[in-house]
Amino acid sequence: MATTQAPHADAHPAPSPLPVYRTDLDGLRGIAITLVACFHIWFGRVSGGVDVFLTLSGFFFIGSLLRHTIASQSTDVGFRETLSPWPRLSRLLRRLLPALLTVLIAVLALTVLVLPQTRWAGIGHEVTASALYYQNWYLALNSQDYLAASSANSPLQHIWSMSMQGQFFLGTLLVALAFAGLLKLCGRVVAPIATPQTIRVFVGLGLLGAAAVSFYWATMRMGVNQQWNYFDTLSRLWEPLAGGLLAVWMPRWRAPRSLRNLATAVALVLIVTCGWWIDGVDAYPGPWALVPVGSTVLIIWSGAAVIGRATGGRHVKTGDTLPPLNRMLASKYPVWLGTIAYALYLWHWPLLIFYLNWRGKNHASFLDGAGLLAVSIALAWLTKRYVEDPLRAGAPSRTAAARAWSVRGHRLSYTAMVTTILVILSVSGAAAIGVWHRHVANLTVDTANLDPREYPGARALLNGAPVPALDPQPTPLEVIRDYPMTSTDGYMSSFEDPAIHVGVYGDPTAARTIALAGGSHAEMWISALDRLGKAQHFRVTTYLKMGCPLSTEELPRMQNGVPYPQCHDWVERVIPQVIADRPDAVFTNSTRPQTGAPGDILPSTYVPVFERFTGAGIPVLGIRDTPWPHSAAGATDTPTCLADGGNAESCGTDRASALNATDPAAALAATNPRFHPLDLSNGLCTPTRCPAIVGNIIVYKDWHHLSATYVRSLTDELGAQIGRALPWTIRGGP
């Protein structure tokens, strides 16, 4: 809560104990939530409104803690009252949890009603992360983009900012209470030195140092991993601390009202427009975030009548304190929006995502968005009126929402009833999430011995095998767990793992060896290579790392654009190790999709790697990459598309948009006779289409990896092509 101070003849007026609510800051919240909702729904951009919320939160919360710290030094306040976090923590929980739990319960229900089963487990994880306030870390660890809304986005992605604020509240509360206790102990043991002014100095210097470290970290990490940086608590910490610094060190000069009005005007223009000329996803929370944060600080400052001994936003009101634009912010409608801002923030995003999924769209039209905004505002008001307000009070209020009923002779207040309902539904939701997680975790994909007459898979395209009318295998829910054996056996190095884990498959005792090396698009072929090795008596050794094809690229990036220097380091170590192990051939990827254009290419950074192997006398089997499923609307998650009612055709991909007419790597064989191109595209696509289901087998297990079951159906064709390149694989042995 923020207040104002009355003028006094003295240059340094004494602060009044009477708090006056800063309704203009409620109005600023209303402007901020309007920007957030509109930019999410219609424009697919980050508005800067969240940064306004963070700054205001820091101003209010740190100001409140500062007042507690100063008051705790009184001899009338004991250690228990000084150090106990529960009074403030309980108020925080009553303010934050009721609306959050209400929305999470609604999200669980809508997930079951609207979304396919393939998405339930992931959203269940996010419900847990949101309820426990670590959603920002969950998103950072899963590298999700906070971009324009589409039907594929998470309905809880926006809770990252609530989680970050919750972490800030808890951490700051514990530090403030420890600091207050330490001051009180020193005052009793040594001497009372903690005057209000010295406390403000110590707190201000601490906040300034922490904010500087956070700002440096946010700026430095932009070029390292901006997707992580966007959600990182340490990177975001400087924003609420900037508001907190103003609560501690309000400037000590009284500015003319005209200057304060100009400051508010400039700040409002910057806040309203910055979403258009700053790409917040790529720029925040780095230096460009100073625009919304600094503008918020200006508006807080401009609304203070006397800028001097104000602390934590506590001022004394005068009859004509606020500048005209601040009075405009304090008018009826901005303030009303500000009072429902928290609930409106919680509701608008999941409603948008569920609507887009229900309608099969990736963008909301103007009318769609207007309807969604109206429903969001209505739900936000209902949530505040009938959930937040009664439970925040901690006791029955005088509102109609708090009247009591008689149940079997016992008086039951509205507050108790709502609390009971929320607890029961939350516990039931948590139990349902646990049951579903166990169900998915216990799913087994037992398709290794499918009858090829019933499930011909690729043979339907390659050999014209008949396809009986049967449900596809694995099911859409099962196929997401249809992993290559190297993943479950632990021979795939993770993104962070620098080690080279060598697995041995096929015939471990064979004299001949094929080395399978590269990233996940090389790994997925192990299901066929293992069968070939066992049948034709050669060994398969694996050298695999997530998202890391064999390339000389010095600054590789992950698929989501995050720099991936670990890949370059790993490739530089794995190539000489493979050469030293002297396999009889290396099997790796030779092409990849062309970025921003149809078709596929042979990257120039792959060729030097091939030459290092062939120069050492080791043949290279270059497997053409498979089509990455997509449509005009964007990338396609095949299992989800099928689970959502799609079929082989509607969830498939146009061949010409994914593949060139010929293998881009084929020409390399003319100049390097030890390079052997392999192309199984005809086992994945018809001349015009790459279906999602072929021969009663689901082709992909996710956005772009083949299911292990489908790879096994390609074994014969892969063996025939390898046999033409390396005749010894057909004969077996030397």
Side-chain angles (χ1 to χ4, degrees):
M1 183 179 70
T3 54
T4 54
Q5 271 192 350
H8 194 279
D10 184 21
H12 300 290
S16 167
L18 299 175
V20 178
Y21 199 83
R22 281 282 299 275
T23 50
D24 62 322
L25 298 185
D26 272 343
L28 179 58
R29 277 200 186 98
I31 297 295
I33 187 56
T34 302
L35 290 171
V36 168
C38 290
F39 271 74
H40 278 166
I41 290 173
W42 283 305
F43 308 125
R45 294 178 64 89
V46 171
S47 67
V50 167
D51 306 271
V52 173
F53 293 143
L54 292 176
T55 309
L56 288 173
S57 295
F59 176 71
F60 292 133
F61 195 66
I62 290 177
S64 173
L65 293 177
L66 177 64
R67 294 191 294 274
H68 169 78
T69 301
I70 292 174
S72 69
Q73 304 312 302
S74 168
T75 56
D76 297 332
V77 180
F79 267 108
R80 181 175 181 180
E81 186 177 351
T82 299
L83 293 173
S84 175
W86 181 244
R88 293 178 182 278
L89 189 58
S90 63
R91 287 197 294 272
L92 270 176
L93 294 177
R94 289 199 304 270
R95 180 161 62 91
L96 299 176
L97 281 184
L100 176 62
L101 292 178
T102 300
V103 172
L104 293 182
I105 291 166
V107 165
L108 281 176
L110 288 170
T111 295
V112 174
L113 292 173
V114 177
L115 300 183
Q117 290 185 350
T118 52
R119 298 190 62 185
W120 290 6
I123 292 176
H125 284 300
E126 292 195 40
V127 168
T128 302
S130 299
L132 298 179
Y133 282 86
Y134 65 89
Q135 172 74 334
N136 60 322
W137 292 109
Y138 180 88
L139 294 176
L141 289 168
N142 286 274
S143 299
Q144 294 201 30
D145 291 327
Y146 193 62
L147 299 173
S150 75
S151 58
N153 284 102
S154 161
L156 292 173
Q157 196 164 301
H158 66 314
I159 303 296
W160 74 266
S161 66
M162 299 292 101
S163 296
M164 186 270 153
Q165 288 186 70
Q167 295 158 17
F168 164 74
F169 289 147
L170 181 60
T172 307
L173 174 61
L174 296 178
V175 170
L177 295 179
F179 178 66
L182 179 63
L183 287 178
K184 195 169 187 68
L185 179 63
C186 291
R188 289 189 176 183
V189 174
V190 185
I193 59 172
T195 65
Q197 187 59 34
T198 58
I199 290 175
R200 282 195 291 271
V201 170
F202 282 126
V203 172
L205 290 174
L207 294 178
L208 185 62
V213 170
S214 172
F215 186 79
Y216 166 77
W217 179 257
T219 303
M220 182 269 293
R221 292 292 293 177
M222 289 179 66
V224 177
N225 189 341
Q226 172 59 12
Q227 285 189 310
W228 179 286
N229 195 46
Y230 190 92
F231 300 112
D232 188 4
T233 303
L234 179 57
S235 298
R236 288 281 178 178
L237 190 60
W238 72 269
E239 299 188 54
L241 291 182
L245 278 168
L246 193 64
V248 176
W249 286 341
M250 189 72 79
R252 286 178 168 272
W253 58 285
R254 184 175 179 179
R257 191 171 62 172
S258 59
L259 178 60
R260 290 185 281 123
N261 195 58
L262 177 62
T264 300
V266 172
L268 282 175
V269 169
L270 291 175
I271 288 172
V272 171
T273 65
C274 67
W276 294 110
W277 48 275
I278 300 176
D279 185 355
V281 173
D282 291 334
Y284 296 162
W288 279 109
L290 285 167
V291 174
V293 171
S295 299
T296 306
V297 168
L298 270 179
I299 293 174
I300 296 172
W301 168 80
S302 67
V306 176
I307 309 303
R309 293 184 180 178
T311 61
R314 297 181 67 86
H315 309 283
V316 177
K317 186 180 181 181
T318 68
D320 191 22
T321 294
L322 295 175
L325 283 176
N326 290 72
R327 288 203 301 272
M328 181 197 73
L329 287 174
S331 59
K332 179 180 178 180
Y333 293 109
V335 169
W336 184 79
L337 281 172
T339 60
I340 66 168
Y342 177 52
L344 181 54
Y345 183 84
L346 291 175
W347 277 113
H348 82 281
W349 180 265
L351 288 180
L352 171 62
I353 299 305
F354 284 118
Y355 176 79
L356 293 178
N357 273 275
W358 175 55
R359 300 293 294 170
K361 296 181 175 182
N362 281 326
H363 305 285
S365 68
F366 176 78
L367 290 178
D368 292 337
L372 287 168
L373 197 56
V375 173
S376 299
I377 290 173
L379 287 175
W381 179 81
L382 290 170
T383 302
K384 182 180 184 299
R385 178 72 172 80
Y386 293 101
V387 178
E388 286 187 85
D389 287 349
L391 271 63
R392 182 181 297 182
S397 69
R398 295 181 180 179
T399 66
R403 55 179 174 268
W405 290 268
S406 178
V407 180
R408 293 186 178 181
H410 299 281
R411 300 280 293 173
L412 180 65
S413 71
Y414 181 88
T415 302
M417 184 184 71
V418 173
T419 301
T420 302
I421 292 173
L422 280 179
V423 169
I424 291 174
L425 291 177
S426 298
V427 171
S428 301
I433 290 172
V435 170
W436 184 256
H437 285 175
R438 286 192 294 273
H439 170 68
V440 174
N442 292 330
L443 286 175
T444 56
V445 183
D446 186 14
T447 56
N449 297 304
L450 290 177
D451 187 339
R453 293 168 298 180
E454 295 181 341
Y455 300 96
R459 292 177 285 267
L461 294 178
L462 295 166
N463 311 118
V467 182
L470 296 171
D471 290 335
Q473 291 292 320
T475 66
L477 186 59
E478 292 171 338
V479 77
I480 61 178
R481 300 181 61 82
D482 197 10
Y483 303 114
M485 59 191 72
T486 39
S487 288
T488 55
D489 292 347
Y491 291 115
M492 167 64 93
S493 298
S494 67
F495 292 106
E496 297 81 16
D497 184 2
I500 300 171
H501 302 286
V502 181
V504 179
Y505 295 90
D507 181 355
T509 64
R512 297 275 195 169
T513 300
I514 291 179
L516 173 64
S520 58
H521 278 245
E523 180 202 25
M524 61 190 182
W525 295 103
I526 186 61
S527 302
L529 288 172
D530 177 61
R531 285 194 165 190
L532 288 172
K534 286 181 169 66
Q536 299 174 6
H537 303 292
F538 61 84
R539 183 171 54 174
V540 180
T541 55
T542 62
Y543 307 77
L544 303 165
K545 184 174 179 62
M546 291 181 179
C548 191
L550 299 186
S551 167
T552 58
E553 188 175 6
E554 294 186 0
L555 296 173
R557 293 179 178 270
M558 300 182 193
Q559 184 189 342
N560 54 23
V562 174
Y564 192 14
Q566 301 93 329
C567 176
H568 176 74
D569 296 340
W570 183 85
V571 169
E572 286 299 302
R573 289 183 291 110
V574 82
I575 292 174
Q577 179 168 333
V578 171
I579 292 173
D581 291 344
R582 300 306 301 174
D584 295 278
V586 173
F587 185 106
T588 192
N589 293 108
S590 60
T591 68
R592 67 174 297 107
Q594 188 164 210
T595 303
D600 53 343
I601 60 170
L602 166 62
S604 59
T605 54
Y606 285 14
V607 177
V609 176
F610 303 156
E611 291 174 345
R612 288 183 66 177
F613 288 130
T614 58
I618 303 172
V620 172
L621 299 169
I623 184 73
R624 187 181 190 181
D625 201 3
T626 55
W628 290 34
H630 63 272
S631 66
T636 300
D637 179 13
T638 297
T640 297
C641 181
L642 294 171
D644 204 23
N647 55 41
E649 287 300 311
S650 65
C651 297
T653 304
D654 286 335
R655 178 167 180 158
S657 69
L659 299 172
N660 290 354
T662 59
D663 182 356
L668 186 61
T671 58
N672 189 340
R674 286 197 176 98
F675 176 80
H676 305 284
L678 308 177
D679 184 0
L680 275 72
S681 301
N682 290 337
L684 295 159
C685 307
T686 69
T688 59
R689 192 78 174 158
C690 304
I693 302 170
V694 174
N696 289 337
I697 298 177
I698 295 178
V699 179
Y700 293 90
K701 76 177 194 67
D702 54 26
W703 297 91
H704 49 78
H705 294 99
L706 296 179
S707 68
T709 304
Y710 196 79
V711 170
R712 284 193 291 269
S713 76
L714 286 161
T715 299
D716 292 343
E717 177 63 19
L718 180 63
Q721 292 194 23
I722 292 176
R724 289 193 290 271
L726 305 173
W728 58 261
T729 60
I730 297 177
R731 295 192 302 268

